[in-house]
Amino acid sequence: MSTQVLFGQLLVGLINGSFYALLALGFAIIFGLLGIINIAQGTFYMIGAFGGWMLLNYFGLGYWWGLLLAPLIAGIVGMALEKTLISRMYKLDHIYGLLLTYGLMMFIMGTFIYFFQTAPRPYPVPPELQGGYNLGFMFLPKYRAWVVLVSLTFCLGTWFVIEKTSVGRNLRAATENPMLTRAFGINVPALLTFGFGIGVALAGLGGVLAGPIYSVSPIMGGDLVIVVFAIVVVGGMQSILGAVITGLSLGVLEGLTKVFYAQGANMVIFVIMFIVLMVKPAGLFGQEK
Amino acid sequence: MAELSLSISDLHAFYGDSHVLHGVTLDVPAGEVVTIVGRNGAGKTTTLRSIMGMIEKRTGSITISGQNVIASPPEKIARLGVAYVPEERGIYATLDVTENLMLPRKVNDSGMTLEKIYELFPNLHARRNSQGTRLSGGEQQMLAIGRVLRTGASLFLLDEPTEGLAPVIVQQIGKAIELMKAQGHTILLVEQNFRFAAKITDRHYVMERGRVIDMIPRADVEKRAGQIQQYLGI
Ligand SMILES: Nc1ncnc2c1ncn2[C@@H]1O[C@H](COP(=O)(O)OP(=O)(O)OP(=O)(O)O)[C@@H](O)[C@H]1O
Ligand SMILES: [Mg+2]
């Protein structure tokens, strides 16, 4: 096979991996902090993508505004849902949070399908990022390089905030022992709302980034969340670093599988999940209880 | 900041359906050290957790310098200037020693600086970059106490701060508590080590089965030594 194909699939894998990493990172933050298995993570990805599309088509605000505002919109929608609905689940078993977010996903997706139907709507690559570079061994579209760059920057940035700042310290403390953390004067309920907002805003960011590559549709993100769920299980449910590394590497692995054994590409991630669950049930980066 | 006083009357507390405190009434005047003694399971820890707002189901009245906090969430109570050192120490595994010390939110600027806390507990300074739960039991207790000295709190709730510690470390912890007292702070102490507590305590409350059954002022401690031993089942 040609190196063109190999590197082409490697790039596709890296792009998919970038989306996996953003969504999985948000998922891991939300699960660690709130104990909520947010099946609606793919829905916030869709909301981000549609946010960008609506800003462009209804308000004439282009890609750069979309990139700024759409994750913010997803985050605000998320915080409103946390305050009104999700916060009622904290005292219950994890399964209730999963069911609630599943219901939210069906409801939001259904509403979008009602108004926009399922046909994909194009969302253009901004003029600044059109074209690409000829690297000799392959052609690298500028926009795809941009997606990987932005996603890595936000993943690293989020990791930095959580590990190295006082907000991150409070978040970690609230994750580990919420009641005691409140007794130290920290408003944990507000922190949970904020954490949920950040977690879904990362998915929203993934959505705007994805718009120009995959187009925008109410059903985008529906399949993605299943893969993201597998990735988070492989990485370790609460592990920030695990989510990012696993997201990227399984994206690449999926791309490579397409080259060497195309029939296996759709299931390679689940095969890995199966093996990891057998060998290290807490995930590659998870803490064994 | 004016020292805080604490007054509890007819406090009931529940874990789910289990009724654990049955009308606790006690007073901690501003600037005094008050100790709660009692056998295992008497409800001492539950009393402190109720004051801190950490027991969800609680009734009665808890007033801190005149303000009723029976319905307040923990973060509000902490921000009045109440600091809590839990029995299980509550050191965070995901925070290093410095982060553990920096975690509690400051209520004013009258607390100790990080440097001063490290001067008081040199062991902690040596291990400042270690994960909190990697410390020895004694170091963890120093950390739990050091942690509340930074915030400028003036009412301290200390739950068995010397439990299970070697005598040298008990001395160090004692020094920190005496320092709090010398600064005029109000302290509510739960302590099984009666000899340790008696040195600094202004009044003792005795708890049994979720109630306060006796109060012994400092002046009467010697006179009633036999009775105290009986209460504690020594
Ligand atoms: N989380 C809990 N759930 C249910 N019951 C509890 C819980 N914690 C404590 N209890 C019960 O409440 C009662 C009072 O417990 P508490 O911890 O307040 O006692 P204590 O006086 O602090 O005892 P110790 O000297 O052993 O620390 C005990 O009967 C105990 O079994
Ligand atoms: Mg106790």
Side-chain angles (χ1 to χ4, degrees), chain A residues 167-281:
Chain A
V167 176
R169 180 194 65 211
N170 292 355
L171 280 168
R172 273 177 287 144
T175 301
E176 189 177 335
N177 191 341
M179 188 54 103
L180 184 64
T181 304
R182 295 181 73 175
F184 288 136
I186 291 154
N187 190 342
V188 173
L191 214 51
L192 297 187
T193 307
F194 174 73
F196 192 78
I198 294 291
V200 300
L202 286 167
L205 175 69
V208 208
L209 287 172
I213 298 181
Y214 299 130
S215 299
V216 175
S217 147
I219 54 174
M220 71 191 290
D223 302 334
L224 189 60
V225 74
I226 306 297
V227 178
V228 166
F229 188 62
I231 284 166
V232 177
V233 170
V234 171
M237 288 292 276
Q238 313 195 7
S239 171
I240 304 295
L241 204 62
V244 174
I245 293 174
T246 314
L248 280 172
S249 48
L250 289 189
V252 169
L253 185 73
E254 195 182 40
L256 290 179
T257 312
K258 273 189 201 131
V259 180
F260 296 107
Y261 183 65
Q263 302 89 318
N266 285 330
M267 56 182 197
V268 62
I269 289 179
F270 299 98
V271 173
I272 302 270
M273 174 172 95
F274 181 72
I275 296 170
V276 168
L277 280 177
M278 299 293 285
V279 179
K280 200 164 181 294

Side-chain angles (χ1 to χ4, degrees), chain A residues 91 163-165 169-170 172-174 176-177 179-189, chain B residues 52 54 56 73-75 78-79 84 86 90-95 99 102-105 147:
Chain A
K91 282 178 201 150
E163 290 301 324
K164 303 289 172 200
T165 68
R169 180 194 65 211
N170 292 355
R172 273 177 287 144
E176 189 177 335
N177 191 341
M179 188 54 103
L180 184 64
T181 304
R182 295 181 73 175
F184 288 136
I186 291 154
N187 190 342
V188 173
Chain B
M52 217 52 238
M54 296 167 78
E56 269 173 40
E75 59 270 20
R79 288 176 191 190
Y84 176 51
I91 302 305
Y92 292 84
T94 49
L95 272 55
E99 286 176 328
M102 296 300 288
L103 179 68
R105 197 182 132 115
R147 186 163 58 180

Side-chain angles (χ1 to χ4, degrees), chain B residues 72-90:
Chain B
S72 302
E75 59 270 20
K76 272 234 173 106
I77 295 169
R79 288 176 191 190
L80 292 175
V82 187
Y84 176 51
V85 175
E87 185 174 11
E88 71 284 1
R89 297 180 184 135

Side-chain angles (χ1 to χ4, degrees), chain B residues 2-64:
Chain B
E3 295 307 322
L4 297 173
S5 63
L6 168 71
S7 171
I8 300 177
S9 93
D10 196 30
L11 174 65
H12 292 253
F14 306 78
Y15 291 105
D17 287 335
S18 139
H19 190 169
V20 170
L21 297 186
H22 302 265
V24 171
T25 298
L26 58 80
D27 269 301
V28 186
E32 286 199 10
V33 177
V34 170
T35 298
I36 304 176
V37 296
R39 296 184 199 188
N40 290 341
K44 308 180 294 292
T45 296
T46 307
T47 303
L48 295 197
R49 290 172 59 84
S50 301
I51 298 166
M52 217 52 238
M54 296 167 78
I55 305 281
E56 269 173 40
K57 220 169 150 193
R58 56 189 194 275
T59 63
S61 107
I62 301 175
T63 54
I64 293 171

